Amino acid sequence: ANEPGFNISASPGGGTWSGTGVADNGWYTPSSDHLGTHTLIYSFSEGGCDLQDSMQVTILPAPEVQAGPDQSACSNDQMVILTGASPAGGVWTVDNNGVLNGNNFDVQASGPGLYTLTYSYSNANNCSASASKTILIQDLPEVEAGPDQSFCNGPGDIVLTGFSPAGGNWTGPGVSPNGVFNAANSPGL
C-alpha cells in the first residue's frame, strides 16, 4: 500500500481503464485506503465494437514501522544500543559515515556529529516500510578548574575563580556545588 504509482499497460493501446485507484490512462496509485482485491477494467473501442477485459489487483498492507525516539550520547561513550524499533527483525542503516555494529551505534568509530538512522522492515508479504530517527554524538567540552590556589585556614568563604566553562558543579571537602570554598568546613585539611 505504500509503493509508488505505476503504469498498467494493455494491448491494443489507446483504451481506457476504470476501477479503484486507476486513472483512465492506466496510472495506478496504490493506497492504504484501497486495501484488498479490486477489479480493474480495460475498455477499447474499434470499428464500432466495444471490447473489455479485466484484471485483479490486490493491495496488501504495508507494515507499521517505528524507529523509536531520537537518542544522544557523549563522544567518550563506546556504543549506543538502538532502542524502540519495531517490529523486530528489521535492518538499521546510517548516514554521514556512521558505523553500526548490529543494533548498536559505534560512537568511537563514528565520532561527534548528528546522524540519521533508518530502520527498514519487510513483512511476510514482502511489503516493506521504514522509519528514521537521529542520534546526536556530542563532543566533550574542555573543562578547566583554574590554577591551584593556597588559602590560610580560617573562617570565611572564598569564591573559586578561573574555571571554565561556566555552569559546572564543584565537589570535594568544604566546597559547595557553585564553587564557594570554606576551609572551616573541610575537616582534616
Side-chain angles (χ1 to χ4, degrees):
N2 63 345
E3 295 292 324
F6 57 91
N7 197 46
I8 299 173
S9 61
S11 179
T16 58
W17 286 93
S18 62
T20 303
V22 68
D24 61 359
N25 66 357
W27 186 258
Y28 189 81
T29 306
S31 168
S32 59
D33 294 335
H34 305 143
L35 295 178
T37 301
H38 303 279
T39 301
L40 304 182
I41 299 171
Y42 182 70
S43 301
F44 181 80
S45 295
E46 182 175 36
C49 296
D50 294 330
L51 305 169
Q52 286 187 340
D53 196 9
S54 64
M55 67 182 295
Q56 301 288 314
V57 173
T58 302
I59 303 300
L60 302 169
E64 293 184 28
V65 176
Q66 296 180 358
D70 293 342
Q71 293 180 261
S72 63
C74 294
S75 62
N76 64 338
D77 290 337
Q78 296 298 313
M79 295 282 183
V80 174
I81 298 170
L82 302 175
T83 60
S86 71
V91 176
W92 285 103
T93 57
V94 62
D95 72 346
N96 202 16
N97 294 317
V99 177
L100 295 171
N101 184 356
N103 288 333
N104 297 310
F105 182 84
D106 190 329
V107 174
Q108 295 296 305
S110 299
L114 182 65
Y115 300 88
T116 299
L117 295 113
T118 302
Y119 185 73
S120 301
Y121 176 82
S122 293
N123 64 18
N125 292 325
N126 205 27
C127 294
S128 59
S130 62
S132 296
K133 70 177 180 177
T134 60
I135 186 165
L136 175 62
I137 306 303
Q138 307 235 14
D139 205 0
L140 296 176
E142 288 190 33
V143 177
E144 175 62 45
D148 291 344
Q149 299 179 33
S150 297
F151 303 104
C152 295
N153 188 3
D157 292 338
I158 300 166
V159 177
L160 301 175
T161 61
F163 59 89
S164 70
N169 289 319
W170 288 92
T171 60
V175 67
S176 69
N178 62 348
V180 177
F181 178 74
N182 187 314
N185 293 333
S186 304
L189 291 181

